[in-house]
């Protein structure tokens, strides 16, 4: 098998001591970046470039790639411990992960994210090795109409995230869509809802919304609890690592998460965040106890954390096969290719197989390193929970500030983050779910633009949305999910009603 | 980390600039008779996120400054306003250690009314660092073998083909196809233009069969032309590109259209002649460095250099050209 | 229950504001058949619909509660107001912090911010508060600026 030979060749490159060192440096830096809220792998990768001037291209790229997928490991840590997602793709992890921590299962949550990340990443690399070219062809089949249908399907996930009040869920979704419309409208070039501020012209960065609503909102809520002395320090309960029961429950979410993550990641534009949202929704739908979600269901951590690693690996596919970056971080990687004089593009596999396979194989090594790095770190990280809340909460605020400020050096964004923090606090008080808003902010922009692009191409005809097998297939899946969810909710309500009556 | 060359230069300028106490650094080097050189960290401000177009140029300049011991440099990403925030930030600095990387958006922001920053008076153009032409490309299975056939089809029905210009409404990509249409006598406003988030989206949509034509900066099309999945009909440059010698320029095909995306380094609004001369010398070195040449070659861009005065003239002309086109397309204020 | 009606009113107010801003968007000759206002109109409709739906839901809940004679066990039994002032103070303190970051520099403003808050929320333990604040701020400053190379404002200190 051709691929097999390449894989072996690749290992001869990636296992060189120099490259092993660079892999390590990369993944370590990636983990640190992932843990820190706000600043993401793209910034870190760009900052590494000057350090790589004297390196050969393969080593440099191995290091930078390490930062990229390493960040997907670290993001879970602060999500679980202090409800402050380190990366956009760790938002879903925060929802159940933080609740697990409050129940004393922080170690288990951290362990399942480390293992899930490892499995998701490794499965992704295997899939990349074997399926890169055919997947790329399939991914090219996604045009604006198909993306719109995909976003609609993803949006049906909202119905699984609403909790007790569907009306509030819809409100949350609508608010998210509203936030997504702020900025310059891509199609017309018109600036919308920026109130004359150039800082708002590019839209509101998702991570600002997330840090505001999750981190600052949670701190405000926790300070209130502290005021009434309602909370005490959560002691760790039970085994530090995963119990057998928890493993059993996590197995299927991890399997599904790897698949969902990688496939979603291959599509340019849909990234780790969307993958983690879809994984969460699939898990909630597949669970026998969906009411546990939002209160500390381990499936809600296992699935998304696996998916985001699968997705970051998947994003490498269009980069390597077409020279097309699938996300912001892969765009930096692409820039690095060019800085090192490598011409990315469809011929890369032929012109520089040593580079491609060296890089891909370094990812196997990197994932192993990350697992070995993260598991022992759990012991250290859970100790953080023992810091008195009076010190921990202010530190979270400063950490959020650094995170947001480091992105753009923009003080206005800090105030915006605070605004969302207050909003997050209010949402908690009045029981409006956060997850639909988060989902809508991520999807809203792509949905609108894809719809209008498709309409431009079809000259105003709606038939383009049922024009290809993909669109029809996606429509069927979407309707299917809706029926399944409603049926599930209805039958559950009936069961509860019957139980009440008895 | 203090650099040796800086110490030597400072000693020289103190000797030359008779009897000033050498307490502060920058103010006094400006008084020296020789051209200005950086005496502290240079901030290269870039209006795009890491990995974006200007960011690559910024980091290449950073590399040369660092490796050739000219100065310590950092790249600052200030995203927003289509580059406007970055340009505004540098424009109002009083310190020549701040430079910005600019492209055509500098002009179009002002013409469309998006930004108050006047490119002709609010910034100092230091050097023109190169440009990249636009490629008009179709898939290899397309029935159009040359630009003439494509334009014939558009003449018959301007909205019959979907044309992607990336995110570049009114910019170089859009002007490429618009000027070609104009040369054929077609009303550019009737063309079916699709806007995507960037060049890579254009590429995937063209390859996937969702759009018919793309008008993008040539670095997006060349790799695929070489791989045989796309056919570049013509390039809007004056000369053929070395990496794809079989692709004609639009001029050779009979349509005298030149459209390109240029890169210019800007300095703050008020600069002294010594400071400008100092930057010119540095940027000329950058332009001749291997790093910069490789960057230009990787995107098949043209490594043309113009000094400050020439760039200022160029700006005036380019502003006019952009204003005319944008007014025609209905995008001017 | 009353809380939910407040939400409904706020939503409607927001929706109206949003609609007003939408109408301000100039509609020039655009390339796509829908234009920049179409989607916002839909969102406006969606906001109104969710407001109506929420009111209906709240009414239903009220009816259900009165029917089964369950006393209103909303958490508005909580004493309001007292924590409100504390939270408002925290928000203001945050606002001041953000305003100080550029002029005073990251290290100084973060340190003052942290000491202020920890003094309120971890009262009495001065040594622990000041020490942790100092280590954290200085540590992260060096982490970001030296190790990661991300510039943070210097302000009054010069290193």
């Amino acid at each position: 098998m051709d691929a097999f030979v390449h894989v072996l060749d690749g290992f001869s490159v990636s296992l060189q001591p120099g490259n092993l060192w660079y892999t390590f440096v990369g993944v370590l830096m990636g983990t640190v970046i992932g843990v820190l809220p706000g600043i993401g792998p793209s910034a870190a990768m760009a900052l590494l470039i000057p350090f790589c001037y004297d390196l050969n291209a393969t080593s440099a790229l191995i290091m930078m790639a390490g930062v990229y997928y390493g960040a997907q490991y670290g993001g879970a840590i602060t999500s679980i411990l202090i409800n402050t997602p380190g990366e956009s793709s760790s938002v879903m992890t925060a929802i159940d992960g933080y609740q697990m921590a409050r129940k004393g299962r922080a170690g288990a949550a951290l362990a399942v994210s480390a293992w899930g990340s490892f499995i998701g990443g490794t499965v992704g690399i295997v899939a990349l090795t074997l399926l890169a070219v055919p997947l790329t062809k399939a991914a090219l089949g996604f045009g604006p109409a198909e993306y719109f249908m995909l976003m609609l399907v993803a949006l049906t996930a909202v119905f699984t995230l609403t909790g007790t009040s569907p009306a509030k869920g819809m409100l949350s979704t609508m608010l998210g869509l509203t936030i997504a419309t702020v900025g310059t409208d891509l199609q017309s070039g018109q600036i919308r809802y920026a109130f004359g501020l150039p800082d708002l012209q590019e839209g509101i960065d998702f991570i600002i919304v997330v840090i505001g609503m999750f981190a600052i909102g949670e701190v405000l809520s926790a300070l209130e609890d502290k005021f009434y002395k309602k909370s005490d320090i959560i002691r760790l309960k039970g085994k530090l690592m995963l119990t057998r029961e928890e493993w059993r429950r996590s197995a299927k979410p991890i399997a599904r998460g790897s698949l969902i993550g990688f496939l979603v990641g291959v599509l340019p534009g849909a990234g780790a965040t969307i993958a983690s949202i879809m994984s969460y929704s699939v898990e909630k739908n597949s669970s026998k106890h969906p009411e546990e979600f939002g209160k500390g269901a381990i499936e809600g951590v296992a699935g998304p954390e696996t998916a985001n690693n699968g997705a970051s690996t998947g994003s490498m596919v269009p980069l390597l096969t077409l020279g097309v970056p699938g996300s912001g971080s892969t765009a930096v990687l692409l820039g690095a290719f060019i800085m090192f004089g490598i011409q990315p593009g469809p011929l890369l596999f032929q012109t520089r197989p040593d580079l491609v396979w060296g890089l891909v194989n370094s990812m196997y090594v990197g994932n192993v390193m990350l697992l070995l790095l993260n598991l022992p770190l759990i012991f250290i990280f859970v100790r953080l929970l023992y810091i008195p809340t009076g010190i921990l909460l202010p530190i979270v605020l400063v950490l959020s500030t650094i995170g947001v400020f480091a992105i753009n050096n923009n003080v206005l964004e800090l105030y915006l983050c605070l605004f969302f923090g207050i909003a997050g606090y209010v949402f908690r008080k009045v029981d409006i779910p956060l997850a639909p808003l988060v989902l809508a902010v991520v999807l809203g922009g792509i949905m609108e633009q894809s719809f209008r692009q498709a309409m431009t191409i079809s000259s105003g005809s709606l038939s383009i949305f049922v024009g290809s097998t993909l669109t029809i297939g996606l429509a069927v899946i979407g309707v299917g999910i809706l029926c399944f969810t409603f049926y599930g909710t209805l039958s559950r309500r009936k069961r509860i009603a019957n139980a009440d009556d008895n | 980390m203090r650099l040796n060359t800086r110490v030597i230069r400072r000693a020289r300028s103190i000797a030359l600039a008779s009897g000033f106490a050498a307490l502060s650094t920058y103010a006094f080097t400006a008084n020296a008779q020789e051209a200005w050189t950086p005496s502290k960290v240079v901030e290269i401000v870039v209006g795009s996120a890491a990995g974006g177009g200007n960011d690559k140029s910024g980091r290449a300049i950073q590399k040369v400054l660092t490796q050739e011991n000219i100065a310590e440099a950092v790249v600052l990403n200030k995203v927003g306003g289509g580059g406007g925030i970055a340009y505004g930030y540098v424009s109002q600095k009083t310190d020549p250690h701040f430079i910005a990387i600019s492209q055509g958006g500098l002009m179009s922001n002002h013409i469309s009314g998006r930004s108050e920053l006047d490119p002709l008076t609010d910034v100092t153009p230091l050097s023109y660092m190169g440009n990249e032409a636009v490629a008009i490309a179709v898939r290899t299975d397309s029935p159009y073998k040359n630009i003439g056939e494509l334009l014939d089809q558009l003449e018959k029905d301007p909205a019959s083909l979907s044309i992607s210009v990336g995110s570049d409404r009114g910019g170089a990509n859009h002007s490429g196809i618009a000027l070609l249409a104009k040369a054929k006598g077609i009303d550019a406003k009737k063309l079916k233009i699709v806007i995507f988030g960037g060049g890579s989206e254009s590429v995937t949509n063209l390859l996937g069969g969702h759009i018919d034509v793309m008008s993008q900066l040539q670095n997006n099309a060349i790799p695929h032309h070489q791989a045989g999945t796309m056919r570049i009909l013509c390039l809007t440059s004056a000369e053929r590109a070395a990496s794809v010698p079989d692709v004609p320029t639009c001029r050779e095909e009979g349509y005298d259209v030149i459209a390109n995306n240029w890169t210019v380094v800007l300095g703050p609004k008020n600069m002294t002649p010594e400071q400008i001369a100092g930057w010119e010398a540095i940027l000329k070195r950058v332009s001749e460095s291997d790093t910069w040449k490789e960057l230009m070659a990787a995107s098949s861009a043209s490594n043309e250099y113009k000094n400050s005065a020439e760039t200022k003239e160029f700006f005036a002309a380019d502003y006019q050209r952009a204003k005319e086109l944008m007014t025609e397309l209905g995008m001017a204020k | 229950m009353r809380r939910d009606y407040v939400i409904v009113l706020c939503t409607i107010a927001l929706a109206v504001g949003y609609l007003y801003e939408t109408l301000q968007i100039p509609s020039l000759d655009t390339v796509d058949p829908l234009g920049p206002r179409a989607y916002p109109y839909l969102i406006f409709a969606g906001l109104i619909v969710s407001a109506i739906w929420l009111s209906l839901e709240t009414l239903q809940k009220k009816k259900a509660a009165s029917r089964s004679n369950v006393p209103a066990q909303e958490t508005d039994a909580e004493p309001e107001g007292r924590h409100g002032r504390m939270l408002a103070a925290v928000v203001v303190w945050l606002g001041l912090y953000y305003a100080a970051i550029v002029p005073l520099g990251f290290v100084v403003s973060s340190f003052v911010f942290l000491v202020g808050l920890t003094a309120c929320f971890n009262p009495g333990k001065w040594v622990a508060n000041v020490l942790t604040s100092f280590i954290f701020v200085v540590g992260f400053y060096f982490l970001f600026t030296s190790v990661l190379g991300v510039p943070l404002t210097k302000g009054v200190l010069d290193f």
Side-chain angles (χ1 to χ4, degrees):
Chain A
M1 249 206 336
D2 208 22
F4 205 58
V5 174
H6 288 305
V7 168
L8 289 178
D9 277 341
F11 274 119
S12 69
V13 174
S14 61
L15 291 176
Q16 288 166 13
N19 286 338
L20 280 178
W21 170 248
Y22 293 124
T23 314
F24 179 71
V25 171
V27 300
L28 184 65
M29 196 167 167
T31 312
V32 172
I33 292 289
V35 172
L36 296 171
I39 190 165
S42 7
M45 287 155 73
L47 294 165
L48 271 181
I49 294 181
F51 293 104
C52 301
Y53 292 150
D54 301 317
L55 295 177
N56 74 69
T58 316
S59 307
L61 288 167
I62 285 177
M63 184 159 71
M64 290 179 68
V67 173
Y68 177 47
Y69 55 87
Q72 304 300 336
Y73 276 75
I77 297 177
T78 43
S79 296
I80 292 168
L81 295 176
I82 52 177
N83 202 40
T84 307
E87 299 301 318
S88 313
S89 50
S90 312
V91 171
M92 302 317 286
T93 316
I95 294 178
D96 273 271
Y98 183 64
Q99 296 305 319
M100 279 182 74
R102 295 185 78 156
K103 286 190 190 160
R105 299 302 301 150
L110 289 170
V112 83
S113 18
W115 279 106
S117 299
F118 173 70
I119 296 174
T122 310
V123 167
I125 306 168
V126 172
L128 188 148
T129 314
L130 300 173
L131 297 173
V133 175
L135 275 178
T136 310
K137 288 220 176 70
L140 286 178
F142 273 80
E146 288 79 6
Y147 267 100
F148 176 72
M149 297 305 287
L150 181 67
M151 294 298 122
L152 270 189
V153 169
L155 208 60
T156 58
V158 159
F159 292 101
T160 60
L161 300 173
T162 50
T164 47
S165 161
K168 285 184 179 166
M170 180 177 184
L171 176 61
S172 182
T173 316
M174 287 296 132
L175 289 174
L177 291 179
T178 314
I179 296 171
T181 53
V182 173
T184 307
D185 172 38
L186 183 67
Q187 295 300 305
S188 64
Q190 292 302 327
I191 300 172
R192 298 192 292 195
Y193 319 108
F195 303 107
L197 297 164
D199 320 78
L200 288 180
Q201 279 181 16
E202 305 287 332
I204 298 178
D205 199 339
F206 175 66
I207 197 75
I208 294 178
V209 177
V210 159
I211 292 183
M213 297 198 90
F214 279 72
I216 299 185
E218 180 62 29
V219 168
L220 292 176
S221 224
L223 286 176
E224 184 182 309
D225 286 345
K226 194 174 163 60
F227 192 75
Y228 292 114
K229 304 224 180 326
K230 269 200 263 180
S231 63
D232 18 291
I233 299 180
I234 311 293
R235 301 260 148 215
L236 290 174
K237 295 199 185 103
K239 212 169 152 200
L240 183 64
M241 295 291 182
L242 296 165
T243 63
R244 186 162 288 175
E245 168 71 15
E246 285 166 338
W247 263 118
R248 197 187 52 79
R249 284 176 66 175
S250 307
K252 282 209 193 128
I254 290 180
R256 284 189 284 255
S258 310
L259 197 65
I260 296 174
F262 184 73
L263 290 178
V264 172
V266 171
L267 292 175
T273 313
I274 295 183
S276 61
I277 294 174
M278 295 189 76
S279 166
Y280 186 86
S281 147
V282 165
E283 291 316 314
K284 193 169 175 186
N285 259 335
S286 326
S287 160
K288 297 202 174 45
H289 304 278
E291 61 284 348
E292 279 184 39
F293 278 72
K295 303 201 179 71
I298 198 167
E299 295 89 340
V301 178
E305 271 304 305
T306 314
N308 67 27
N309 278 70
S312 66
T313 317
S315 310
M316 302 280 288
V317 172
L319 177 70
L320 295 173
T321 54
L322 286 181
V324 161
S327 62
S329 314
T330 35
V332 182
L333 214 52
L334 184 70
F337 272 106
I338 295 182
M339 292 235 51
F340 294 112
I342 300 166
Q343 180 70 273
L347 298 176
L348 191 65
F349 273 83
Q350 277 104 306
T351 53
R352 290 295 304 264
D354 57 312
L355 178 83
V356 174
W357 295 109
L359 182 64
V360 171
N361 287 319
S362 74
M363 293 167 73
Y364 286 113
V365 178
N367 270 293
V368 172
M369 283 185 188
L370 281 163
L371 186 67
L372 295 175
L373 202 65
N374 277 282
L375 283 178
L377 282 180
I378 294 178
F379 292 102
I380 303 177
F381 279 117
V382 292
R383 298 282 170 256
L384 284 179
L385 290 177
Y386 290 107
I387 299 178
T389 42
I391 298 185
L392 187 62
L393 293 174
I395 286 186
V396 171
L397 289 178
V398 175
L399 204 58
S400 314
T401 309
I402 307 177
V404 171
F405 194 67
I407 304 174
N408 250 343
N409 261 260
N410 190 330
V411 181
L412 192 86
E413 287 181 352
L414 287 173
Y415 286 108
L416 200 57
C417 192
L418 180 58
F419 169 74
F420 283 111
I422 300 173
Y425 168 74
V426 170
F427 272 45
R428 279 175 176 77
K429 294 302 284 184
V430 299
D431 250 338
I432 301 182
L434 293 176
L437 183 141
V438 159
L439 177 61
V441 172
V442 171
L443 296 185
I446 308 178
M447 248 178 75
E448 183 192 3
Q449 300 300 329
S450 309
F451 188 77
R452 289 160 69 187
Q453 284 159 353
M455 292 292 273
T456 308
I457 294 174
S458 68
S459 302
S461 149
L462 283 171
S463 63
I464 194 174
F465 295 106
V466 288
S468 71
T469 24
L470 270 175
T471 49
I472 300 178
L474 286 167
V476 167
I477 294 176
V479 170
I481 295 180
L482 274 178
C483 294
F484 188 71
T485 320
F486 276 127
Y487 174 70
T489 330
L490 280 172
S491 66
R492 228 172 291 124
R493 289 229 176 105
K494 243 194 214 162
R495 252 187 284 133
I496 297 175
N498 285 340
D500 277 346
D501 287 341
N502 287 348
Chain B
M1 202 171 76
R2 298 285 165 212
L3 303 168
N4 283 330
T5 45
R6 251 198 281 142
V7 173
I8 294 168
R9 283 207 170 95
R10 208 201 295 175
R12 266 209 292 170
S13 27
I14 289 171
L16 281 172
S18 42
F20 277 98
L23 265 182
S24 58
T25 52
Y26 13 110
F28 293 104
T29 46
N31 271 333
Q33 292 306 312
E34 58 182 67
W36 170 92
T37 52
S39 50
K40 60 177 181 138
V41 177
V42 168
E43 255 187 51
I44 305 173
V45 185
V46 157
S48 65
N54 285 346
D55 183 73
K56 294 201 270 263
S57 309
R59 292 192 194 274
I61 295 181
Q62 178 197 29
K63 179 175 179 179
V64 177
L65 289 182
T66 325
Q67 284 194 322
E68 303 205 8
N69 284 323
I70 301 173
E72 272 181 72
V74 293
V75 172
L76 192 61
N77 297 82
K78 274 203 165 285
V79 180
I85 293 192
Y87 306 146
Y89 176 78
V90 168
S91 160
Q92 36 153 347
K93 287 286 178 191
T94 50
D95 178 348
H97 291 86
F98 293 88
I99 54 172
I101 314 288
S102 70
Q103 291 184 328
L106 179 68
M107 304 292 166
S108 57
N109 281 352
H110 189 246
I111 299 172
S112 65
R114 187 178 191 179
S115 163
E116 299 274 312
L117 189 119
D118 185 335
L120 303 175
T121 57
D122 289 335
V123 283
T124 311
L126 295 171
S127 292
Y128 176 104
M129 300 294 290
N131 63 60
E132 193 181 339
V134 176
I136 313 290
V138 294
R139 278 183 307 284
T140 20
D141 61 5
S142 160
Y144 309 107
K145 302 282 184 292
N146 58 54
I147 189 73
E149 289 176 15
L150 183 76
L151 290 172
D152 283 337
Q153 172 61 33
L154 287 176
E155 192 175 27
K156 274 189 249 156
D157 180 3
S160 56
L161 301 172
S162 48
I163 306 171
S164 161
V165 294
S167 59
D168 212 18
R169 279 187 90 251
N173 296 346
H174 199 174
S175 33
I177 192 71
L179 290 172
L180 279 169
K182 227 176 119 173
K184 185 85 176 170
I186 308 169
D187 181 4
K189 274 167 90 166
K190 292 217 178 92
L191 296 172
K192 190 196 288 190
I193 305 282
V194 189
I195 312 284
F196 286 106
S200 11
E201 279 184 51
S202 283
V203 168
T204 48
N205 277 290
L206 182 66
L207 289 176
H210 306 286
I211 51 166
D212 302 305
V213 186
M214 82 173 192
S215 175
Q216 292 287 153
L217 293 182
Q218 56 189 30
N219 78 78
N220 288 293
I222 288 179
H224 303 278
H225 180 94
Q226 290 170 331
T229 45
M230 275 191 202
R231 178 187 309 134
I232 304 180
L233 298 177
C234 72
L235 296 172
T236 62
S237 49
E239 285 160 14
R240 294 197 175 199
S243 46
V244 281
D246 57 318
V247 173
T249 65
C250 301
R251 223 178 230 174
E252 287 172 356
E253 294 284 295
Y255 302 96
D256 191 9
V257 170
I258 304 287
N260 56 53
N261 193 32
W262 41 258
T263 303
V264 165
V265 177
L266 303 172
K269 181 169 177 174
N270 298 314
M271 291 177 79
T272 69
E274 291 86 22
Q275 290 168 345
I276 298 179
W279 269 118
E280 275 178 343
I282 295 173
L283 292 169
K284 187 106 185 40
R285 264 175 86 177
V286 171
S287 170
E288 289 163 357
S289 68
D290 285 335
T291 307
W292 190 258
K293 285 192 186 152
E294 270 169 24
L295 179 69
M296 291 287 113
S299 22
S300 301
S302 154
N303 192 12
E304 213 186 304
Y305 176 84
K306 293 192 214 285
N307 68 26
S308 178
E310 291 167 343
T311 312
K312 220 174 165 117
E313 269 177 43
F314 171 77
F315 261 16
D318 195 68
Y319 188 87
Q320 268 315 108
R321 182 205 55 78
K323 188 161 188 170
E324 271 169 36
L325 182 66
M326 284 179 75
T327 314
E328 262 185 52
L329 293 172
M331 291 189 278
K333 195 170 21 173
Chain C
M1 300 295 162
R2 198 189 308 159
R3 233 175 227 172
D4 289 355
Y5 285 123
V6 172
I7 303 175
V8 170
L9 284 175
C10 288
T11 310
I12 298 181
L14 178 73
V16 169
Y18 189 70
L19 182 67
Y20 173 72
E21 277 300 318
T22 309
L23 292 171
Q24 306 295 324
I25 302 172
S27 51
L28 298 178
D29 230 345
T30 54
V31 295
D32 76 292
L34 288 173
R37 291 191 192 174
Y39 194 68
Y41 286 150
L42 281 176
I43 295 179
F44 167 76
L47 283 169
I48 299 293
V49 165
S50 43
I52 296 175
W53 191 358
L54 186 60
S55 350
L56 289 175
E57 241 188 37
T58 321
L59 274 170
Q60 247 190 358
K61 255 196 248 166
K62 226 188 200 171
K63 281 195 200 138
S66 58
R67 228 186 294 138
S68 50
N69 285 325
V70 172
Q73 19 155 262
E74 291 281 335
T75 41
D76 20 30
E78 233 169 53
E80 297 275 352
R82 276 171 55 214
H83 65 257
R85 257 173 296 167
M86 182 258 311
L87 288 175
V90 172
V91 169
V92 168
W93 189 237
L94 264 170
L96 290 173
Y97 172 39
Y98 296 157
I101 289 188
V102 176
L104 287 183
F106 172 76
V107 177
V108 173
S109 46
S110 306
F111 182 67
V112 171
F113 173 76
L114 270 182
V115 171
L117 276 187
T118 50
C120 293
F121 293 104
N122 200 28
K125 311 224 172 57
W126 281 104
V127 177
N129 289 347
V130 172
L131 205 62
T132 328
S133 309
F134 185 74
I135 295 176
F136 179 80
V137 171
V138 172
F140 269 86
Y141 183 76
F142 276 110
L143 177 67
F144 271 82
T145 50
S146 309
V147 176
L148 296 176
V150 176
L152 291 174
T153 52
K154 294 204 190 131
V156 287
L157 299 176
D158 195 16
F159 58 88

